[in-house]
Amino acid sequence: MGTVIGIDVGGSTTKIVGFRAENGQNVLIEPQLVRANDPITSIYGAFGKFTSENGLTLDKIDRVMMTGVGSSFVKTPIYDLDCRAVPEFSSIGLGGLYLSGLDEAIVVSMGTGTAIIHAKKEGDKTAVNYL
């Protein structure tokens, strides 16, 4: 695996992060924030800033995972990369488990809206339910 980039296109802020494979481990690439009124401008601005500042070239990116309200505006793959939509509640649950290091958690996401998610690892899969 090369690099996987995650983009959360919110109503006011786009967040972007990545994971790079190094020595058999997934290494977190520092998250960044970009603000723009237009979701497409915000996505491409965040993507360009992130790849430039982290020395990433397109051939090193395996896929782009997108979530958030603004991700629905993306109608074609970013620079012909493998782009996949991820439901926002799943992203919140999986992210909460990753950040906490727990196998099960209630995750609260407070932003423009508030979501309360129950996430639980079940073998190779993760179950995510919103409350």
Side-chain angles (χ1 to χ4, degrees), residues 57-69:
T57 56
L58 296 179
D59 63 320
K60 301 293 183 200
I61 299 171
D62 285 345
R63 68 182 171 276
V64 178
M65 309 298 285
M66 293 190 302
T67 194
V69 66

Side-chain angles (χ1 to χ4, degrees), residues 19 32 49 55 61 64 66 73 104 112 117:
F19 282 94
Q32 294 180 351
K49 179 180 178 186
I61 299 171
V64 178
M66 293 190 302
F73 290 93
E104 183 174 13
T112 306
I117 309 295

Side-chain angles (χ1 to χ4, degrees), residues 47-105:
F47 189 85
K49 179 180 178 186
F50 187 79
T51 55
S52 176
E53 290 187 5
N54 290 291
L56 290 171
T57 56
L58 296 179
D59 63 320
K60 301 293 183 200
I61 299 171
D62 285 345
R63 68 182 171 276
V64 178
M65 309 298 285
M66 293 190 302
T67 194
V69 66
S71 66
S72 64
F73 290 93
V74 178
K75 303 297 182 200
T76 59
I78 298 171
Y79 301 116
D80 291 326
L81 293 169
D82 178 9
C83 294
R84 303 177 192 181
V86 180
E88 194 159 3
F89 292 138
S90 295
S91 296
I92 293 166
L94 292 170
L97 292 181
Y98 173 80
L99 290 171
S100 69
L102 298 172
D103 290 335
E104 183 174 13

